[in-house]
Structures are given as structure tokens and as C-alpha cells.
Amino acid sequence: METKVPTTVLIKGGTIVTATDKYEADIFVSGETIQTIGLNLEVTADKVIDAKGKYIFPGGIDPHTHMELPFMGTHSSDDFETGTRAGLYGGTTTIIDFAIQNQGNTLNAIIEEYHRKASKAVGDYAFHLGVTDFNSGTKEEIKDIILKKGISSFKVFMAYKGALMVDDRQIMELMTETGRYGGMVIAHCENGDIIDGLVKEHLAAGKIEPKYHGICHPELAEAEASGRFIDLAHHTKSPCYIVHMTCEGALNKVKDATKRNQKVNVETCIQYLVLNDELYERPGFEASKWIFSPPLRKPKDQEALWASIRQGIVHTVGTDHCPFCMDQKRMGEKDFSKIPNGAPMIENRMEVLFSEGVVKGRISLNKFVEISSTNAAKIFGMFPKKGAIAIGSDADLVIFDPNEKHTISAETHHMRCDYNGFEGMEVTGKTKTVLLRGTVAIENGKALVGSGFGKFVHRAAHNVELRRENERRASDD
Ligand code: URP
Ligand code: ZN
Ligand code: ZN
């Protein structure tokens, strides 16, 4: 795509909102970074943007996506190009995607494969590394991956028995090894054995419809695995992060850990805050649209998640963006356990969170920025390059109209998926203009940057301080 790229941009008259502040000022961007922030700046620029009446947020960071993921006999339908572009439309400028090891292969092989896949990204990206087979060979790879390859978070699955699931011994050994170099283990916490048993029982009883997915992934299975993962981290004196937490039972495990002064980093996803398990009662095969793991929960869990965000117990809101079109979902028409798990979410995360969170009075504006951008940057070693509006930070900026109303629909979204899980939802607040590293990426409803514009974000080995804190705490025990 041929575009004249301005090298300087002046954003005038907007209200800058960060995780801590809200104030009116102009922002002068030179090259890829923010050069000056001040009142009534008198500078000339290649491009001037009038942001009066708009908020300016740091670019959103989605800490949990799966682009082109090979999964359950198919691939998620967005690749790095279509998925990161859709993210930009919704104000997400950086994603952290999961490069998941194929059992039997090296970690370095999957990193190379993901660099190849991601070379067409439109938005910026980093990787978590999914470890599905931890052995003496993979152990040797860890040090260089953290210290030289810019990947410092390692994901384990406590579910998907017979596919991605690892055992507790592997988790502990991975924690110990990654902890040595300032890495962190992050986990999908559901008890794979409980789920496996329930799925078999239901199928044997002829219960094949999508709604049984929810019933076979009970709250208890998530709470048990969350508590176990937290205990393993405590035992190995390691920092930890739990992805896509959905329920009160799991949150209670996190609260319990704070009583022994353990820090647990927690992510939830936008769908768990806004949608609930009534959707599994939709007729026919429609419920398959919301088949992901963990599943949607009850209104009491949604309340617990919002409260935990306010209390600082939940730190990030991601998406677990992993779209499958309806033709792909239909692979499980006769067996709910074969429905590819995942849904399209990346484009709507920021606007739905703003509308349901800030506009409805559940969270403050600063909290919105914290959980949609800044905390992910801090936890995953990207701050203050990302997640901040500050001199020297990347000029990843979202100019946002807090009053514009619109209705979410698959007809107008940019994700490569033929349905939208929020179809028909009216939201207040719209991403108008997005800058990615100083270049106007989205303007007037159009993407102005193309395939390959996105850059890999090399993350720091970031948990040395956290680790010291955990060690101090352990020596006090
Ligand atoms: O259902 C989900 N979440 N699909 C993607 C893989 C995962 O568990 O994160
Ligand atoms: Zn997961
Ligand atoms: Zn996921």
C-alpha cells in the first residue's frame, strides 16, 4: 500500500488519559516516538490532528491472542495480517500471541515459525511461548530465549488432556528454569482430568449439543487448577500469571494467596465480563459461537470479575482472540467436544470495555487504561516503550470519541470471521484515529498501513524484582 508517511505529527487539544492522569495537552510526535507533551505547543508538523473533545489513550495491548493457530483439526481464521489490522481498528496496537510448541519439537523451531507467520502483521506483536513438552532439551533452550530472543513468558496448559496438557512436575521444572533468568510461567488453569471425564460421560449419554461444553467445564475445575498453579508458583518461589480467569471460585484462590503475601498476576477477557452462560441455551447450533475454554459463566462471576478489577486483583483484560468461522465450528455438529474452541474478539475489546466499564460506571477512566494497556506492558516487560504516553515512548496513540454510539456487527467488523459474539450490542465510545509508532495507521475508517508494518517487540527479562520479592517472602516463611 503506497502511503506518504508523515515524519512529524502534532495532535492538538485532546485530553490525555493514562493509568494515572487525565489532562489536556498537545502531543508532538517525531519519527516513531513521542517527543514533546505540552500546552499550546508552537511547532510545525507534517500532519496536524485536531483532537478536541476526544480522549487520547496509550495504544491498547492485548496480552492474549491466537492468530492462525493450528488447533482442533483446523486453524484459527485470522492470520497476523487480518487479525492485527482488526485490532488496530479497535484501538489495539500491540498483541502478545502464543507460539505453541508442537510436542516433540524444539522451542526454537516454533519461534522461527511464528516469526515467519508474523512477518505480515500490520500491528506490533510479541510472543508468549507455549510449552507442551518440557524435557532436558527444551530446558537448555530457555536461557537464550529469555535473554537473547525477547520472549520472557512461557505458557502451560493444565487442560486439553491428550493434546496440550502438561503435568505438575513439568510446570514446576519450567518455573524453576525460567525463574533463573527473569522469565515467568503463565497458565491456562482448568483441571484437564475432570473435564475429560465429564466429556466422556456426557457423550456416552448422547448429550452432544454445544451447551454441554459449559457443563463439562465447571467452575470447580477452573478453581482447583488455579489454586494448584498458584501453589506450585509459591512452592518454587516463582512469579506467575493466570490467563483468561472467569469465575468467583478461581478469584477466591487468588485472594487466599494474598494472605501469605503471594503476588498472582491475573488476566480476564472481555467476553467473560460482558456475556454469560445464558447464551448456551440459544437454539440449534448457535451456542457454538461461544464455545471456548473456559466457558462463559454466571452473572455472579461477572460481578466478581468487575469487583476484582476495581480491587486490583485482576490486572489485565485480553481477548483470547481465536476465531473460527461457522463452517469450522460445524466440525462439532454431532459432538460438542469437536467444536473448535475460540471466538473473534480482538476488534471489540477496547470499545466494549470502555462502554460497559467506564460509561456504565463500573471502572474509572484510569483503570480502563491500566487494564487495557499499561499493566500488560508492565507485567510483560514492554513498559514504558509501550503502555504509556510519555516522552520517549513509542507513539502508539488512540484518539477516541467517548460519545459516539455504534452497534457491533459482523457486517461491519474487520475480523476474518462470519459472526460476531457481540452482534447487535450498542456501545458508546469509538476509536477514531490510531497512531502506531508515529504513523497514522487508522483514520476515517480506513487502514493506512499494510502487511509487514508491524514490528516484533523484544521484551525484557522482567521479573527479576518480582522474583527477589518472592524469595524474600519465602525466606520469611
Ligand atoms: O477456547 C480457547 N480459549 N481457545 C484458544 C486456546 C486457549 O485455551 O487459550
Ligand atoms: Zn487457554
Ligand atoms: Zn488462549
Side-chain angles (χ1 to χ4, degrees):
M1 193 179 302
E2 206 45 49
T3 340
K4 184 184 173 309
V5 181
T7 54
T8 55
V9 180
L10 178 63
I11 305 171
K12 284 199 76 64
T15 300
I16 295 172
V17 185
T18 69
T20 48
D21 299 303
K22 178 180 174 217
Y23 58 98
E24 272 177 35
D26 301 341
I27 301 176
F28 180 65
V29 173
S30 177
E32 294 201 332
T33 57
I34 296 171
Q35 185 157 8
T36 317
I37 301 171
L39 273 180
N40 305 318
L41 291 180
E42 301 269 338
V43 278
T44 50
D46 299 317
K47 181 173 175 77
V48 178
I49 299 173
D50 177 10
K52 201 131 200 67
K54 312 275 194 312
Y55 289 140
I56 306 176
F57 300 133
I61 300 175
D62 187 338
H64 191 150
T65 66
H66 301 280
M67 303 303 173
E68 215 180 316
L69 175 73
F71 192 46
M72 298 182 74
T74 182
H75 282 78
S76 56
S77 56
D78 263 321
D79 59 23
F80 277 86
E81 179 178 345
T82 58
T84 57
R85 187 192 295 121
L88 285 171
Y89 272 107
T92 291
T93 49
T94 302
I95 61 166
I96 315 183
D97 203 86
F98 289 85
I100 301 175
Q101 177 195 22
N102 305 313
Q103 280 172 344
N105 274 6
T106 64
L107 298 177
N108 278 304
I110 196 72
I111 294 173
E112 272 172 37
E113 190 181 324
Y114 266 71
H115 275 299
R116 265 195 309 277
K117 283 191 192 184
S119 61
K120 59 183 175 185
V122 185
D124 283 1
Y125 56 94
F127 299 135
H128 304 289
L129 198 52
V131 180
T132 58
D133 182 7
F134 187 70
N135 54 48
S136 54
T138 42
K139 183 174 172 185
E140 295 218 334
E141 297 181 275
I142 299 284
K143 181 177 177 186
D144 271 11
I145 289 172
I146 297 175
L147 299 180
K148 298 200 179 133
K149 301 209 166 166
I151 301 173
S152 46
S153 43
F154 297 80
K155 181 181 185 186
V156 290
F157 292 88
M158 300 171 86
Y160 304 118
K161 189 174 164 69
L164 306 171
M165 183 168 147
V166 293
D167 62 28
D168 293 353
R169 184 192 56 77
Q170 293 188 67
I171 296 175
M172 282 189 289
E173 287 183 13
L174 183 64
M175 283 174 166
T176 305
E177 193 58 18
T178 54
R180 283 201 174 102
Y181 309 107
M184 176 161 64
V185 177
I186 74 181
H188 174 135
C189 294
E190 283 186 291
N191 182 313
D193 284 305
I194 294 180
I195 293 164
D196 192 52
L198 286 171
V199 169
K200 284 183 178 142
E201 259 174 47
H202 281 77
L203 291 176
K207 297 177 173 170
I208 57 165
E209 294 86 6
K211 68 173 177 189
Y212 294 108
H213 172 85
I215 293 165
C216 292
H217 288 247
E219 176 177 6
L220 180 134
E222 185 181 339
E224 186 282 333
S226 302
R228 183 157 39 97
F229 180 68
I230 292 167
D231 283 346
L232 298 179
H234 187 71
H235 177 65
T236 56
K237 307 181 186 70
S238 303
C240 62
Y241 178 97
I242 299 180
V243 302
H244 53 42
M245 190 171 282
T246 68
C247 59
E248 195 179 19
L251 289 165
N252 286 340
K253 300 288 179 180
V254 179
K255 291 177 193 168
D256 284 348
T258 64
K259 294 179 196 156
R260 61 186 180 198
N261 302 322
Q262 184 181 4
K263 168 89 196 250
V264 180
N265 296 291
V266 178
E267 166 196 287
T268 189
C269 295
I270 188 65
Q271 56 273 32
Y272 300 118
L273 289 165
V274 173
L275 308 176
N276 66 52
D277 66 357
E278 281 169 16
L279 288 166
Y280 295 137
E281 298 304 328
R282 289 279 173 100
F285 196 59
E286 206 197 342
S288 66
K289 292 177 178 170
W290 301 280
I291 296 301
F292 32 72
S293 298
L296 294 173
R297 302 290 188 197
K298 306 250 173 262
K300 60 110 186 153
D301 298 298
Q302 295 174 283
E303 284 316 308
L305 287 170
W306 283 113
S308 296
I309 287 174
R310 289 189 291 273
Q311 293 159 4
I313 289 163
V314 170
H315 305 94
T316 61
V317 176
T319 57
D320 199 3
H321 176 78
C322 191
F324 296 101
C325 295
M326 287 312 285
D327 267 356
Q328 295 173 288
K329 290 276 183 187
R330 269 189 274 279
M331 290 165 65
E333 219 160 6
K334 297 199 167 58
D335 172 351
F336 70 87
S337 73
K338 293 199 167 59
I339 299 170
N341 284 202
M345 289 285 156
I346 190 169
E347 187 167 349
N348 305 116
R349 179 184 70 121
M350 302 272 286
E351 288 165 356
V352 172
L353 185 61
F354 182 86
S355 189
E356 291 291 312
V358 179
V359 176
K360 293 203 171 160
R362 292 176 167 125
I363 55 172
S364 70
L365 256 182
N366 300 116
K367 186 56 104 175
F368 167 77
V369 174
E370 210 187 305
I371 60 179
S372 64
S373 175
T374 308
N375 279 350
K378 286 183 175 170
I379 293 169
F380 292 116
M382 297 188 277
F383 188 82
K385 180 179 167 67
K386 304 290 188 191
I389 299 182
I391 291 164
S393 292
D394 279 1
D396 297 347
L397 299 166
V398 175
I399 303 175
F400 193 87
D401 183 338
N403 300 312
E404 186 170 325
K405 293 185 194 310
H406 57 112
T407 304
I408 295 176
S409 174
E411 311 242 306
T412 47
H413 76 199
H414 301 86
M415 297 178 283
R416 191 154 67 191
C417 193
D418 53 3
Y419 77 93
N420 188 305
F422 299 116
E423 186 70 35
M425 181 184 283
E426 293 199 1
V427 292
T428 303
K430 179 128 189 67
T431 298
K432 302 301 288 181
T433 304
V434 178
L435 274 73
L436 175 57
R437 281 177 284 103
T439 295
V440 179
I442 301 289
E443 192 173 46
N444 299 324
K446 290 209 163 53
L448 304 182
V449 291
S451 174
F453 187 79
K455 274 192 183 168
F456 175 63
V457 185
H458 187 105
R459 296 190 286 120
H462 47 281
N463 285 306
V464 176
E465 253 178 51
L466 256 180
R467 184 161 179 80
R468 284 201 194 110
E469 181 190 311
N470 278 356
E471 272 170 358
R472 254 197 313 275
R473 172 183 48 71
S475 66
D476 294 345
D477 281 352

